[in-house]
């Protein structure tokens, strides 16, 4: 279970101006269900989501996971929380364009050091209704299908917490609705927190709706908390990539940045020459 106690987050812009993104947020989240976060732009929704996923640090108050302050987490525990307990879904899908649907999803398991041949990938692709499209690349998919791949990539890790930041923001309303239906399905076994501007979806699918304004929760409406049943174990699993994917990702990165690649090669050559000269 996750609890926030008087949590605050202050950003300081480049010119030294301070912005209070979250101002004393206290919240207790259930183990399962669908929680919507609504609020106008700049009200602190993404900041809240990022802190829940430990992608960002906070400045005041505390966040407790199963009664333990995240301030006490070791670096390994924080990494394990981010990589195996939490799944992220963003508005712009963030898929790897050179990878197929299957490889995009497999990569998430690979990062956890799990075997991707376990049938988990096929099962999750079926859940998101993408079976049959596994060999396509993202550019051959519609927006709704791409978002399903992103959800599959997050869900394959079987996270206790799925954080979705405006997951339907780039989709038409019918496609968006089908994404909410899918997220609702996933909220039966874990907690799904969704940031959206879609008031109607929040009303239709939300078990709970939080409203943020200027970093403050101004309303929190919903059914009561579910009983605490499942402990959110944080195992310090080593996160590693297979050699194949490490090489592929590295090569893809350098291919997209030819200037950096050329500079790296030149610098390496200079280093080797200097080492040779020094040795001689
Ligand atoms: P929302 O997702 O509700 O639109 P955000 O959580 O992104 O809002 O932002 C909350 C406030 O914090 C806004 O005023 C925003 O400008 C500010 N903010 C967000 N990120 C940063 C940052 N990295 N640096 C400075 N200010 C930021
Ligand atoms: Mg936002």
């Amino acid at each position: 279970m996750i609890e926030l106690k008087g949590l605050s987050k202050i950003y300081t812009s480049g010119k030294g101006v301070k912005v209070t993104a979250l101002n004393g947020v206290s919240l207790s989240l259930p183990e399962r269900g669908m929680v919507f976060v609504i609020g106008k732009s700049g009200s602190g929704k993404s900041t809240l989501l990022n802190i829940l996923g430990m992608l960002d640090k906070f400045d005041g108050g505390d966040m407790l996971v199963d009664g333990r302050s995240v301030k006490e987490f070791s670096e390994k525990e924080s990494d394990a929380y981010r990589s195996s307990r939490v799944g992220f879904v963003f508005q712009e899908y963030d898929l790897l364009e050179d990878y197929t649907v299957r490889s995009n999803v497999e990569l998430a398991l690979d990062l956890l050091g799990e075997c991707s041949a376990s049938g988990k990938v096929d099962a999750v692709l079926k859940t998101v209704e993408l079976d049959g499209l596994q060999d396509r690349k993202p550019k051959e998919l519609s927006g709704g299908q791409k978002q399903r791949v992103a959800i599959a990539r997050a869900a394959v890790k079987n996270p206790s917490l799925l954080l979705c930041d405006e997951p339907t923001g780039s989709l038409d309303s019918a496609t968006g609705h089908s994404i909410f239906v899918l997220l609702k399905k996933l909220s039966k076994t874990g907690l799904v927190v969704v940031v959206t501007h879609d008031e109607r979806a929040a009303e239709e699918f939300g078990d709970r709706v939080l409203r943020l304004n200027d970093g403050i929760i101004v309303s929190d409406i919903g059914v009561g908390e579910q009983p605490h049943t499942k402990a959110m174990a944080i195992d310090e699993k080593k996160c590693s990539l297979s050699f194949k994917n490490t090489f592929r990702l590295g090569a893809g990165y350098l291919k997209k940045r030819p200037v950096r690649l050329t500079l790296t090669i030149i610098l390496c050559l200079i280093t080797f020459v200097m080492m040779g000269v020094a040795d001689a």
Side-chain angles (χ1 to χ4, degrees):
M1 176 145 97
I2 298 173
E3 282 172 276
L4 303 182
K5 297 198 165 181
L7 193 119
S8 62
K9 170 75 186 176
I10 299 162
Y11 289 110
T12 309
S13 72
K15 288 177 185 156
V17 180
K18 291 195 186 308
V19 178
T20 303
L22 293 176
N23 191 358
V25 169
S26 294
L27 187 62
S28 179
L29 291 171
E31 299 285 336
R32 284 183 297 277
M34 195 146 168
V35 176
F36 278 84
V37 182
I38 301 241
K40 60 180 192 319
S41 192
S43 57
K45 305 180 298 294
S46 297
T47 304
L48 176 65
L49 225 57
N50 290 342
I51 288 176
L52 286 173
M54 288 185 78
L55 288 185
D56 209 348
K57 293 204 165 94
F58 48 88
D59 298 291
D62 210 350
M63 173 168 142
L64 309 182
V65 177
D66 288 333
R68 244 185 95 213
S69 166
V70 295
K71 291 178 193 164
E72 293 166 13
F73 278 26
S74 65
E75 212 167 296
K76 255 184 167 179
E77 281 178 307
S78 306
D79 280 347
Y81 175 87
R82 274 187 291 266
S83 59
S84 61
R85 307 313 303 175
V86 184
F88 294 94
V89 176
F90 301 102
Q91 180 175 347
E92 294 304 334
Y93 328 121
D94 294 321
L95 301 176
L96 292 167
E97 294 294 329
D98 291 339
Y99 279 54
T100 62
V101 167
R102 168 175 277 282
S103 309
N104 264 285
V105 179
E106 270 176 358
L107 189 62
L109 282 186
D110 196 4
L111 275 164
L112 284 182
E114 273 192 40
C115 175
S116 48
S118 58
K120 267 192 186 175
V121 176
D122 291 317
V124 82
L125 286 175
K126 204 164 179 202
T127 307
V128 302
E129 293 164 23
L130 280 182
D131 38 346
L133 300 184
Q134 49 265 55
D135 295 324
R136 291 211 195 161
K137 296 224 171 134
K139 64 172 183 290
E140 299 160 343
L141 301 174
S142 69
Q145 287 167 335
K146 281 188 210 176
Q147 195 55 294
R148 282 170 190 274
V149 180
I151 293 171
R153 180 182 56 187
V156 76
K157 302 188 295 177
N158 209 7
S160 326
L161 176 61
L162 190 59
L163 299 170
C164 312
D165 200 350
E166 303 196 30
T168 62
S170 302
L171 305 173
D172 62 78
S173 69
T175 311
H177 190 270
S178 73
I179 293 293
F180 285 122
V181 170
L182 170 60
L183 292 174
K184 184 77 186 176
K185 195 157 76 174
L186 296 173
S187 75
K188 303 293 175 201
T189 51
L191 180 64
V192 179
V193 182
V194 190
V195 165
T196 185
H197 289 287
D198 191 338
E199 296 267 355
R200 281 175 60 186
E203 207 172 291
E204 183 179 348
F205 296 99
D207 297 310
R208 184 164 164 194
V209 181
L210 302 171
R211 265 166 223 282
L212 268 181
N213 191 20
D214 287 342
I216 295 170
I217 295 184
V218 288
S219 99
D220 181 352
I221 302 167
V223 291
E225 310 283 353
Q226 278 112 352
H228 184 155
T229 48
K230 194 175 68 176
M232 191 189 271
I234 300 169
D235 47 352
E236 296 183 2
K237 221 181 275 172
K238 200 169 124 273
C239 306
S240 63
L241 267 179
S242 67
F243 178 74
K244 186 184 88 181
N245 274 326
T246 309
F247 185 77
R248 230 176 129 185
L249 281 172
Y253 176 79
L254 287 174
K255 219 166 60 187
K256 284 193 187 121
R257 289 163 182 79
V259 177
R260 189 169 294 192
L261 174 63
T262 317
L263 274 174
T264 308
I265 293 172
I266 292 170
L267 279 172
C268 284
L269 283 174
I270 292 173
T271 309
F272 284 131
V273 168
M274 288 187 49
M275 276 165 71
V277 169
D279 197 36

